[in-house]
Amino acid sequence: MSKAGIIGGGAWGTALAQVCARAGRQVTLWAREPDVVEAINTTHENAIFLKGVPLDPLIRATGNLGDLAESDLVLAVAPAQHTRAALAAFAPHARDGVPILLCSKGVEQGSLKLMTQVLAETVPQAAPAVLSGPSFAGEVARGLPTAVTLACPDPGCAESLAEAIATPTFRPYFATDMIGAEAGGAVKNVLAIACGIVEGRGLGRSAHAALITRGFAELTRLAIALGGEAETVAGLCGLGDLVLTCSSPQSRNMSVGLALGQGQTLDQALAGKLSVAEGVASAPAVRELAASLGVETPICEAVAAILAGQVGVDDAIRGLLSRPLREE
């Protein structure tokens, strides 16, 4: 796997391009924005989405998806709600059996499908895999130690992919449960908004810890209902990612919740943000998906209701605290 293609020139796509270059791959990154393509090729920096991080000069950026046709592995890093369009555009260039590593986290609005289902419908000839785990783009790009889950139904393919992108500071643990890996990544973004609200309202560390714990219970229930395994979400792609995303305003999703908790409107909270907070788009889809499966997710439901303007922050908090007492 000497050639790696990256679909998506945002912060995370750029960081993963850097990882692949460090791992010795020949990297071609596709970006939608011509300014990103030009900057990476001329100044070796993505000044729009990952300012201040020097990139490997061997990373080549392009605005033509056909330039990824000869890739031995492809990392799909477009935002979840744009993944279908990006993969459909790449499909005519995808070789039979090419591994596509899905790196976006979310549930597609409307269809309520996970990214592996979107991939199966758009590029059925590809070999699917999922990359998920506690990882901030800036830290990964700068080479700080990071561990993630790489899930693929074929254990041999999972191991080969892990070896292809592993570096001394980027450590993939391989698994076979793609559904569990996806569910963890999708739901944690919604829960991070809730944790930001708790922080913004000044409700304290005890409330923050309780929310992470009870949110993890929701995440686990939904993953199992989808066909995933509890053991998977207890690892890096579930609990690990949840702890990171819910514990730092550096998280795009938590920062949105922080603004909401401080009294801003959703429009104000999102104003000026170039990078996508996946939880905002995924929250209504997660709520609808959970309801269709009969899974109880009161925290995710409250976040979706707040984002939709159906309930105020304080009323949502009171609603959660007044739920009937029950066994843990």
Side-chain angles (χ1 to χ4, degrees):
M1 295 187 180
S2 62
K3 298 178 181 179
I6 313 291
I7 300 177
W12 188 219
T14 305
L16 288 174
Q18 185 87 318
V19 166
C20 291
R22 286 196 188 106
R25 306 308 121 206
Q26 179 181 327
V27 181
T28 304
L29 179 149
W30 173 84
R32 181 176 56 86
E33 303 84 358
D35 290 350
V36 170
V37 173
E38 182 179 3
I40 291 176
N41 288 336
T42 58
T43 67
H44 310 300
E45 179 187 1
N46 187 340
I48 296 177
F49 295 107
L50 204 60
K51 187 175 178 62
V53 179
L55 301 177
D56 190 307
L58 296 181
I59 295 172
R60 183 172 76 92
T62 179
N64 180 8
L65 278 169
D67 291 340
L68 275 61
E70 298 304 314
S71 300
D72 300 310
L73 71 156
V74 173
L75 287 74
V77 206
Q81 304 308 322
H82 300 284
T83 292
R84 182 180 293 275
L87 289 176
F90 175 66
H93 310 290
R95 294 182 293 105
D96 286 351
V98 63
I100 294 186
L101 191 53
L102 297 160
C103 306
S104 301
K105 302 167 183 178
V107 176
E108 187 178 47
Q109 290 183 333
S111 72
L112 306 183
K113 291 181 177 178
L114 298 173
M115 297 302 101
T116 49
Q117 295 170 299
V118 173
L119 175 63
E121 293 177 355
T122 53
V123 196
Q125 70 269 35
V130 172
L131 184 75
S132 188
S135 45
F136 283 150
E139 294 179 355
V140 171
R142 292 194 298 272
L144 298 181
T146 305
V148 295
T149 298
L150 196 160
C152 178
D154 179 347
C157 182
E159 187 170 355
S160 296
L161 287 170
E163 290 174 351
I165 64 173
T167 75
T169 59
F170 190 81
R171 182 176 177 83
Y173 286 80
F174 40 89
T176 56
D177 177 19
M178 293 195 301
I179 294 176
E182 285 191 282
V187 179
K188 64 92 184 181
N189 284 327
V190 182
L191 297 171
I193 295 175
C195 282
I197 291 172
V198 166
E199 190 78 13
R201 268 298 190 264
L203 299 182
R205 307 315 298 171
S206 299
H208 185 264
L211 189 59
I212 290 178
T213 307
R214 295 311 304 160
F216 180 62
E218 293 187 17
L219 184 157
T220 303
R221 287 196 295 269
L222 185 57
I224 291 172
L226 287 166
E229 300 172 7
E231 182 180 4
T232 304
V233 296
L236 291 163
C237 59
L239 181 59
D241 209 358
L242 180 66
V243 169
L244 177 69
T245 312
C246 291
S247 301
S248 171
Q250 186 178 338
S251 156
R252 296 189 295 269
N253 294 285
M254 187 176 178
S255 69
V256 169
L258 185 65
L260 293 173
Q262 292 171 341
Q264 294 185 27
T265 66
L266 180 59
D267 287 342
Q268 290 171 332
L270 295 175
K273 293 185 183 297
L274 293 175
S275 297
V276 175
E278 296 274 27
V280 174
S282 289
V286 168
R287 175 169 63 169
E288 191 175 346
L289 179 61
S292 71
L293 295 169
V295 177
E296 194 176 27
T297 56
I299 299 172
C300 291
E301 291 171 19
V303 171
I306 291 170
L307 295 175
Q310 297 166 342
V311 65
V313 167
D314 291 330
D315 286 339
I317 293 169
R318 279 192 291 269
L320 288 171
L321 292 175
S322 63
R323 285 170 53 81
L325 300 178
R326 49 167 290 178
E327 290 182 347
E328 187 172 22

